[in-house]
Amino acid sequence: MKRNRIQRGIAALIAAMTLHMLTPAPAHAWAAPVAMTASTDTLIFKNGNVLEGTIVSETGTHVRFKGELHGIAFETEYPKADILEIKRGTGQAAGQAATDTKVVDPSSYLTPPPAPVIDDGRDKIYWIDLTGKFGEEITQTPLRNALKDAKNQRADVIIVMVDNKVVDDEEIRGNEELEKLYAQFDELFRAEKIMAVVVDEVPAEWQKPPRIIYWVRRALGGIAFMPLTSKEVYFHPEGKLGGVGNLNGMRARGHRRVVEKQISLRRGHAVGWVNQSGFPQPEMLVRALTQEDFVLSLKIEGGRPVLFEGYPSNPGEELLTDDGMEGNADTIDQAARGEGNDVLTLDHRLAKLLGISKGTAETRDELLSLLGYRTDQIVKSRSEAIMRDWVRGFEAGKTQARRLWEEFGEVQVQGDYDQRRQARSTQIQKIEQIKSIFKRYAESFEWRWLARYGFPIDGEGGPGIAQLTEIQDRIRTQQLLDRR
Amino acid sequence: MKKFTRMLGTLGIVFAMALGVGVCSSDALAIDRIVLKDGSVIEGTIVREAQGAVWIKTTIGGVPAERMYLPSEFTSIERNAATAPAEATRPATGGDVPVVPAVPAVTTPAAPRSGVPRGVVITLGDREHGDMVGVYMVANILERAIPVIEQEIGTDGTGVVVLRFMSGGGYGAEVQKISDVIHNEYKKRWRTVGWIDSAISAAAMSAHCLEEIYFTTRGNYGACTGFYGSLDKPVEGFELEKSLHQMEKISARGGYDYRIMRSMQIMDPLSATIDANGEVHYFADTVSGDIIVNRNTEILTFNAVSAAKVKFSRGTADTLDELSKAMGFQEIQWVGKTVKGSLWPISRAEQMQMDFRKKVKTDEDNLNRYYANYAIHVQLAAGAPREERPPLVNRARQGLEQIKSMVRNNPAFARNIWGGREEYKEWLEEQEKLLRDLMR
């Protein structure tokens, strides 16, 4: 219902803009550039754009700037990260030098200079907590920044604790359209962008790559594959890994051959990531994790665990997943608790039995003890602050984006020429601010949230920044068409 | 007015892609020239320089403009170029001649070491910009790289080209073209090998003419079932048979049993046995061979382990060093600049591929804007008195130039958007005429 209302709203907005676009424009609407005076400030952007006007305010990371563009007044905040150079006119704030200022990328503030490294011959351990909602809070940029910090700290070992929050699907249940869309949302492909930071970037950027150790408390959904890329995994006694969906569910949604292609390529991707760990039977493991009709059992041969397809034939073998058919189907309660066996969910016992987990630890100290380390080997890091700042920034960005979008929708373009021009300038400014938020946190915005509030969505399910720019273009065109 | 609207409407497609750099016309007084990395040349007067960035006064579509370029955006600056021969760096403006990306500026290549073969790594698709076959992975840019690779690793037959695949598939129509370039051009000049990070669907079909294929540890290859964008629309009937036949011929190019690709296209079971001589024999069922390669009701996708098991893959390598060893080299000189974060040196031919994909990505993101810019100004001009039209037509022309530049960079856009080269040309001619009519 809400979705339909939003869609109607967008359609109405576009229709309104289109009507305006068809109005002839006066030739004089081609606004000449604002004459540059000695008191004019100039922002030179990295993308080549140059804006002239007045700096209203300035922080360490942003510049609030007002000026006029194509005859439209605007006041907008720009991240300094996007700015190459600030030229200050004579109207600058007292005490500021009238010289060019090279803007420092704010991300450089995230990583302090390497702390003095005391080399006592013992391994230095860097600790990272991956907690929160996968894809939003657990995402590549803060992880990448934490790993940069680890590199600066010359860490020998990186311990990643995984404890993700499971997405609450209550809001989409029962809504056929949303369920269908959700079913197409492959968390594995989202996880690939995060896993690549560890699997690809660390070996490429570190002269001596560190040991990467995962400690699993909860790795359910796409993030389940992350620990499975590592040769060193430990579990919490209540740890769970799995919940990577049911690939077979796709079979109800199309031609069998096409669906099998989709399942096959997904399995191919998943197996590839598990291959990174050197696990000897990656395909068996992935089939059991992802396909509910796959029957998998375990036996021990020569003291080593061996997976095989089919039901156990003697008491020494253990059934891991059944075929999920009829009486074998998990109950809702079992599925909700992650205790079913239609698909595989690893707990500390199974993970150890399969040779995936090297041990079980309830606390950090216990884990360090298992690894033969002491607590004082953990280096003082900024990883917690990096993760926390990301989450806070993102949450604030969401709130701000919603507010700006609402305000944008409320702007009435009416009155005399100057009032209409001012209103359009406000619209453009609001969208510019939304774009700035989206660019900074693009990877964390999820299509469902965007759809809920009526934001445009790009082809990959992220914020539709290009579409927002198109809306700005249309508003500028409306201004061109407007007559006094 | 109706006529103009109708002519615009003949495009008849939804633009869901985008573009980049407009083609700038020469200014009669131009004396400086900036050669951009995408091959475009900006002529005009350099008015300012700071921190390596330059500002140039030029004209775009007849409208004076000042543009700024970062050092990372251009390859060279020619000052007072009016006195120097210009043809070598002037961008082509004809519809058929690709102008971007140009060959990156020549740097002094590392001196070839005597008796040591030279090699380059060429990427087909990447995570940052795009990987779709027929959009980001196209035959045209591979073909344009040939003279550069010849310059970098020679033409004596000892050179090695590693094609690194990273693609989730795309347009089946591009498969034959890519296969032809690799088979008829690359393989004849150099030892050409595939290094598979991900080659799904059309990407695997494009790689299948390579006799020598290596995987990364997480590599995947297969799932080549054709379909028309929706899960319930498979390629069927005559088109399916044609595709199966096409891939039989391409399998022969690579020296693979045709049944491997067949199991990747349709749900044909496959098993294999490796005989005492190490030869692999395939069977179109799951019981005749010792190894089940594809189950009865599934589509085949290889991973590094399963591909190596039946010798489809020659080995698994995650680094260039591992690949060199897997290929049997004691010593090989990989050509290119060492770049932090890259597992292989970036050769000029590779830089071309990267620049190409970057521009295509820009095109994809902005095409709607370019087209809207064009269409709106045509409509405005059509509704304006004759004397007010020139600036509007100039604006429209800028939009059209952006679209033309996009297609020059990647001719595959003509097929993907207009349905073909001829259709695109026809549409273009209509628009050119329309703009001329508006100025009468």
Side-chain angles (χ1 to χ4, degrees):
Chain A
M1 188 71 152
K2 186 186 282 183
R3 187 180 168 81
N4 288 339
R5 221 170 34 238
I6 292 163
Q7 283 172 339
R8 279 201 302 273
I10 294 172
L13 175 69
I14 292 169
M17 287 174 169
T18 309
L19 281 174
H20 278 287
M21 285 193 307
L22 298 177
T23 315
H28 66 260
W30 300 106
V34 176
M36 190 172 172
T37 66
S39 61
T40 306
D41 298 321
T42 307
L43 300 185
I44 301 165
F45 289 84
K46 288 177 180 172
N47 65 7
N49 288 345
V50 177
L51 287 180
E52 287 162 359
T54 308
I55 295 172
V56 178
S57 62
E58 190 175 349
T59 68
T61 56
H62 286 79
V63 177
R64 189 162 193 83
F65 195 78
K66 70 175 180 184
E68 195 171 298
L69 197 61
H70 303 300
I72 301 172
F74 69 91
E75 184 177 324
T76 304
E77 194 167 87
Y78 297 101
K80 282 187 173 175
D82 295 343
I83 301 170
L84 176 75
E85 188 181 342
I86 299 174
K87 295 279 286 181
R88 297 176 200 279
T90 52
Q92 70 220 338
Q96 284 185 311
T99 53
D100 294 357
T101 307
K102 186 173 167 48
V103 178
V104 179
D105 184 346
S107 66
S108 64
Y109 291 108
L110 288 171
T111 308
V117 178
I118 302 163
D119 192 355
D120 58 4
R122 299 186 305 163
D123 283 349
K124 285 176 279 299
I125 301 167
Y126 191 93
W127 189 279
I128 297 175
D129 284 339
L130 287 185
T131 58
K133 193 173 172 186
F134 169 73
E136 288 188 7
E137 294 163 56
I138 299 175
T139 183
Q140 62 265 35
T141 298
L143 177 61
R144 184 177 289 119
N145 288 335
L147 289 168
K148 277 180 190 167
D149 188 39
K151 190 181 172 200
N152 286 340
Q153 305 272 6
R154 299 184 206 171
D156 302 293
V157 179
I158 294 172
I159 298 178
V160 182
M161 192 275 285
V162 180
D163 189 7
N164 72 308
K165 179 182 164 191
V166 177
V167 179
D168 179 9
D169 283 343
E170 200 178 326
E171 63 192 71
I172 64 163
R173 203 167 289 143
N175 182 325
E176 198 178 328
E177 188 188 1
L178 285 177
E179 278 179 349
K180 192 175 168 192
L181 282 168
Y182 181 65
Q184 291 169 349
F185 180 71
D186 284 293
E187 285 196 341
L188 169 61
F189 295 116
R190 178 70 185 89
E192 288 190 332
K193 290 178 179 162
I194 303 170
M195 295 192 289
V197 175
V198 179
V199 175
D200 294 342
E201 295 178 20
V202 168
E205 291 181 6
W206 292 53
Q207 217 162 20
K208 184 193 162 204
R211 279 171 70 187
I212 308 269
I213 298 167
Y214 288 93
W215 183 31
V216 176
R217 293 174 73 98
R218 180 149 60 172
L220 297 177
I223 199 171
F225 291 101
M226 196 165 181
L228 292 176
T229 61
S230 175
K231 294 180 196 306
E232 294 188 82
V233 180
Y234 290 80
F235 266 62
H236 184 274
E238 292 176 6
K240 295 254 185 242
L241 184 151
V244 281
N246 179 5
L247 275 185
N248 292 357
M250 296 183 79
R251 288 189 178 136
R253 301 214 311 272
H255 187 280
R256 181 66 187 263
R257 193 192 317 138
V258 183
V259 168
E260 287 302 327
K261 166 206 176 90
Q262 299 297 329
I263 292 174
S264 176
L265 72 89
R266 280 160 175 76
R267 189 168 53 234
H269 273 260
V271 170
W273 288 101
V274 177
N275 268 341
Q276 298 283 160
S277 69
F279 183 76
Q281 295 174 282
E283 190 167 334
M284 287 264 192
L285 180 66
V286 166
R287 280 180 184 271
L289 283 164
T290 60
Q291 295 187 264
E292 69 177 357
D293 61 352
F294 189 71
V295 181
L296 184 71
S297 297
L298 172 75
K299 62 185 173 185
I300 305 296
E301 281 183 356
R304 293 173 55 199
V306 176
L307 297 171
F308 65 95
E309 189 176 354
Y311 288 97
S313 57
N314 68 62
E317 296 170 352
E318 182 175 344
L319 177 69
L320 300 181
T321 56
D322 61 24
D323 61 5
M325 302 288 282
E326 298 172 353
N328 288 335
D330 294 341
T331 63
I332 292 173
D333 186 47
Q334 286 172 321
R337 291 169 188 275
E339 291 171 353
N341 70 350
D342 290 352
V343 289
L344 186 63
T345 305
L346 296 176
D347 59 16
H348 75 100
R349 188 191 73 85
L350 271 182
K352 185 82 166 54
L353 203 58
L354 267 58
I356 290 168
S357 169
K358 287 183 177 297
T360 304
E362 189 165 9
T363 64
R364 187 172 76 168
D365 287 349
E366 210 174 305
L367 176 66
L368 292 172
S369 173
L370 274 178
L371 290 164
Y373 294 130
R374 293 165 59 96
T375 311
D376 64 357
Q377 286 178 261
I378 296 177
V379 297
K380 194 177 175 186
S381 78
R382 282 187 41 80
S383 75
E384 197 182 328
I386 290 167
M387 300 294 169
R388 187 190 57 226
D389 289 352
W390 178 268
V391 174
R392 284 182 182 170
F394 175 58
E395 288 302 325
K398 281 202 293 190
T399 306
Q400 204 182 349
R402 277 177 59 187
R403 180 179 55 75
L404 288 163
W405 192 231
E406 280 172 18
E407 288 172 1
F408 166 75
E410 287 163 4
V411 174
Q412 300 288 320
V413 181
Q414 55 192 18
D416 62 22
Y417 178 83
D418 286 338
Q419 287 169 325
R420 294 194 301 274
R421 192 179 73 158
Q422 181 57 44
R424 291 191 184 106
S425 162
T426 305
Q427 286 181 321
I428 288 171
Q429 172 197 332
K430 303 275 179 209
I431 291 183
E432 195 60 37
Q433 288 174 298
I434 294 169
K435 280 165 61 181
S436 173
I437 294 164
F438 282 171
K439 280 177 191 168
R440 188 172 177 82
Y441 296 104
E443 70 200 53
S444 283
F445 279 103
E446 196 219 358
W447 72 265
R448 280 187 296 175
W449 185 89
L450 294 165
R452 188 182 307 149
Y453 296 105
F455 288 107
I457 300 171
D458 69 13
E460 293 179 355
I465 293 170
Q467 292 96 315
L468 288 173
T469 307
E470 283 175 46
I471 293 174
Q472 288 179 309
D473 286 348
R474 286 174 194 160
I475 297 168
R476 289 190 182 103
T477 303
Q478 289 169 20
Q479 183 59 38
L480 283 175
L481 301 176
D482 205 353
R483 291 174 187 275
R484 280 190 183 276
Chain B
M1 181 68 176
K2 271 187 183 169
K3 178 187 168 194
F4 295 131
T5 310
R6 196 171 58 245
M7 289 180 82
L8 282 171
T10 57
L11 183 57
I13 42 106
V14 176
F15 278 90
M17 307 185 182
L19 160 123
V21 181
V23 177
C24 303
S25 65
S26 299
D27 187 314
L29 299 174
I31 53 168
D32 298 322
R33 187 174 287 146
I34 300 172
V35 182
L36 301 184
K37 281 188 175 170
D38 65 11
S40 307
V41 178
I42 309 298
E43 292 179 344
T45 307
I46 291 175
V47 292
R48 193 147 68 99
E49 294 182 52
Q51 298 174 22
V54 290
W55 283 253
I56 186 167
K57 270 192 176 168
T58 183
T59 56
I60 298 175
V63 179
E66 187 176 315
R67 288 280 181 271
M68 185 272 269
Y69 296 96
L70 294 168
S72 58
E73 293 174 318
F74 59 83
T75 55
S76 63
I77 297 174
E78 293 172 37
R79 295 171 201 280
N80 209 8
T83 57
E87 293 312 312
T89 53
R90 190 182 299 279
T93 51
D96 288 318
V97 187
V99 291
V100 280
V103 177
V106 175
T107 51
T108 310
R113 296 203 293 270
S114 174
V116 177
R118 282 175 291 166
V120 289
V121 178
I122 302 293
T123 55
L124 291 88
D126 64 58
R127 274 203 182 89
E128 188 185 352
H129 297 111
D131 67 0
M132 193 172 185
V133 176
V135 180
Y136 293 92
M137 187 197 294
V138 295
N140 181 277
I141 191 66
L142 284 175
E143 202 164 11
R144 278 147 66 186
I146 289 171
V148 186
I149 301 174
E150 284 181 332
Q151 203 178 59
E152 292 189 295
I153 63 174
T155 55
D156 62 2
T158 64
V160 177
V161 175
V162 173
L163 298 175
R164 168 92 172 192
F165 284 80
M166 154 74 87
S167 170
Y171 289 90
E174 194 69 22
V175 168
Q176 191 65 47
K177 291 178 183 173
I178 295 175
S179 182
D180 288 348
V181 171
I182 294 174
H183 186 71
N184 298 328
E185 306 296 339
Y186 277 61
K187 283 163 63 174
K188 285 180 180 160
R189 288 171 169 83
W190 309 290
R191 178 178 171 186
T192 307
V193 309
W195 191 12
I196 309 300
D197 197 45
S198 183
I200 293 297
S201 201
M205 295 159 97
S206 301
H208 213 60
C209 64
L210 292 162
E211 293 94 340
E212 206 176 342
I213 283 180
Y214 300 84
F215 274 52
T216 63
T217 299
R218 66 156 174 263
N220 50 57
Y221 185 108
C224 301
T225 306
F227 70 114
Y228 299 107
S230 170
L231 290 181
D232 58 358
K233 290 182 182 160
V235 172
E236 301 227 70
F238 178 71
E239 288 302 318
L240 175 60
E241 291 304 321
K242 223 166 70 173
S243 174
L244 291 169
H245 179 58
Q246 174 196 24
M247 290 317 298
E248 281 177 21
K249 289 194 288 183
I250 289 179
S251 294
R253 283 177 168 182
Y256 299 110
D257 189 303
Y258 74 94
R259 283 167 286 205
I260 298 173
M261 178 50 74
R262 196 175 171 87
S263 291
M264 291 175 174
Q265 294 179 278
I266 57 177
M267 294 182 292
D268 269 10
L270 188 67
S271 61
T273 295
I274 302 174
D275 69 20
N277 300 318
E279 293 285 321
V280 185
H281 304 277
Y282 288 94
F283 308 93
D285 58 48
T286 56
V287 293
S288 302
D290 300 334
I291 304 163
I292 295 177
V293 182
N294 190 48
R295 294 166 187 242
N296 280 315
T297 56
E298 295 186 352
I299 294 290
L300 175 61
T301 296
F302 275 130
N303 58 66
V305 175
S306 60
K309 201 169 179 181
V310 291
K311 301 188 175 184
F312 178 79
S313 154
R314 303 279 183 101
T316 303
D318 289 328
T319 65
L320 206 47
D321 195 37
E322 288 172 2
L323 182 69
S324 307
K325 283 179 186 152
M327 289 171 68
F329 285 111
Q330 298 290 327
E331 195 179 3
I332 179 169
Q333 185 181 359
W334 294 106
V335 175
K337 283 188 295 189
T338 303
V339 175
K340 192 182 169 191
S342 173
L343 289 172
W344 46 83
I346 307 297
S347 64
R348 286 193 296 123
E350 166 59 0
Q351 190 64 52
M352 271 184 84
Q353 311 300 312
M354 293 161 67
D355 292 345
F356 168 79
R357 288 194 294 269
K358 189 176 178 185
K359 175 163 163 52
V360 172
K361 170 72 175 157
T362 309
D363 290 350
E364 270 205 310
D365 289 345
N366 291 291
L367 177 56
N368 281 335
R369 295 186 62 207
Y370 302 142
Y371 179 68
N373 186 36
Y374 169 68
I376 285 167
H377 289 98
V378 166
Q379 288 183 341
L380 292 179
R386 171 64 185 82
E387 65 276 14
E388 291 181 2
R389 286 182 184 176
L392 298 168
V393 170
N394 273 341
R395 281 283 185 110
R397 211 174 279 286
Q398 282 174 40
L400 197 60
E401 285 300 327
Q402 287 173 318
I403 293 169
K404 284 161 71 177
S405 166
M406 174 191 75
V407 178
R408 280 198 298 275
N409 176 57
N410 187 359
F413 274 122
R415 178 196 61 212
N416 302 345
I417 298 173
W418 284 268
R421 190 86 182 144
E422 287 310 310
E423 288 83 349
Y424 164 68
K425 277 185 177 170
E426 199 176 302
W427 177 82
L428 200 57
E429 282 165 12
E430 275 183 14
Q431 307 313 310
E432 299 278 16
K433 181 175 182 305
L434 187 155
L435 294 178
R436 282 195 303 274
D437 289 348
L438 282 170
M439 293 302 288
R440 280 189 187 136

